[in-house]
């Protein structure tokens, strides 16, 4: 079982418009509403590929009830979410039909009390004992300490369960001392966290601070992995138009599955690029297009760059 953690779960609302233009009104075409947050999207991708997966995190209020209902009745995911008194957030993504670009509006999330965080930590300690891998994803809601992910990574390590972490800013930097097995920033998040514009240098800096492996996503530029086995770059065979908001979550799903299987890094990266591309081809995060995945999975280029640096 792969356990996904979404501490700032959301109800994702996606609007389709013909063209997004500032300072004017828009007629909305397609509307999609579903349970969201990065870890929920990761779980949906994993479940769609036949993986046993459990969703945990924090939800509250009427919006949180809609999230839980969607998980159970629509997607059939195992719900181990922990309730809080505040109202879960909504996110709004506007996808323009003329250029397929996505504009995202993210609410902050509910205020979480120390007692609610302790209740979650206790539930996590129970769930992690059943897991083969833990994927910890997304922002922290107000009230949580910036080392919240570090606490969870450390608890997983005590149980012998590897972790994949996808977050940014202080929660990313404050987690590294707990030595997560894989961290997956995108290029902008990596540059912001390290001050390094060069992705390889930034990844090495995160490894020096404690990350065992770093996988950097750069959209159509593919993935750069800096691991104890060396550096590799995985590049898609072509650029796809579509909604990129779920690509990073599909990548994390592939990384978690690869860790669970003990797969070779080259195979993991190839699968991650193919799944990311298949997510771009879908209108909402958490879905992947099977035809795109099949087309990409044998055509991704994986290049060995050079030997690993000691850490």
């Amino acid at each position: 079982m792969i356990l996904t953690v979404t501490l700032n779960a959301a109800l994702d609302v996606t609007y389709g418009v013909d063209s997004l233009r500032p300072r004017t009104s828009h007629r909305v075409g397609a509307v999609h509403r579903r349970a969201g947050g990065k870890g929920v999207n990761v779980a949906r991708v994993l479940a769609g590929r036949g993986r046993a997966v459990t969703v945990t995190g924090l939800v509250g209020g009427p919006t949180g009830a809609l999230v839980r209902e969607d998980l159970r009745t629509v997607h059939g995911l195992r719900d181990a979410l922990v309730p809080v008194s505040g109202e879960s957030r909504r996110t709004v993504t506007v996808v323009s039909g003329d250029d397929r670009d996505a504009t995202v509006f993210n609410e902050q999330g509910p205020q979480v009390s120390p007692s609610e965080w302790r209740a979650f930590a206790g539930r996590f300690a129970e769930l992690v004992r059943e897991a083969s891998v833990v994927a910890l994803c997304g922002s922290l809601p107000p009230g949580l300490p910036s080392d919240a992910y570090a606490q969870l990574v450390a608890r997983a390590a005590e149980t012998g369960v590897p972790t994949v972490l996808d977050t940014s800013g202080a929660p990313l930097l404050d987690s590294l001392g707990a030595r997560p097995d894989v961290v997956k920033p995108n290029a902008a998040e990596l540059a912001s966290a390290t001050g390094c514009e060069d992705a390889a240098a930034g990844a090495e800096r995160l490894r020096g601070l404690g990350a065992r492996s770093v996988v950097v996503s750069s959209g159509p530029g593919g993935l750069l992995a800096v691991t104890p086995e060396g550096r590799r770059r995985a590049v898609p065979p072509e650029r796809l138009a579509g909604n990129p908001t779920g690509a990073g979550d599909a990548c994390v799903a592939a990384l978690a599955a690869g860790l669970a299987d003990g797969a070779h890094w080259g195979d993991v990266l190839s699968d991650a690029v193919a799944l990311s591309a298949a997510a771009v081809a879908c209108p909402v995060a958490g879905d992947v297009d099977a035809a795109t995945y099949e087309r990409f999975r044998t055509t991704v280029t994986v290049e060995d760059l050079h030997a690993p640096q000691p850490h």
Side-chain angles (χ1 to χ4, degrees), residues 160-172:
V161 178
T163 48
V164 182
L165 176 65
D166 182 12
T167 190
S168 59
L172 169 62

Side-chain angles (χ1 to χ4, degrees), residues 5 77 98 109-110 144 153 159 184-185 206 225 244 292 298:
V5 176
L77 293 170
D98 56 357
L144 290 192
V153 169
T159 317
K184 195 222 70 68
L206 293 189
T292 301
T298 58

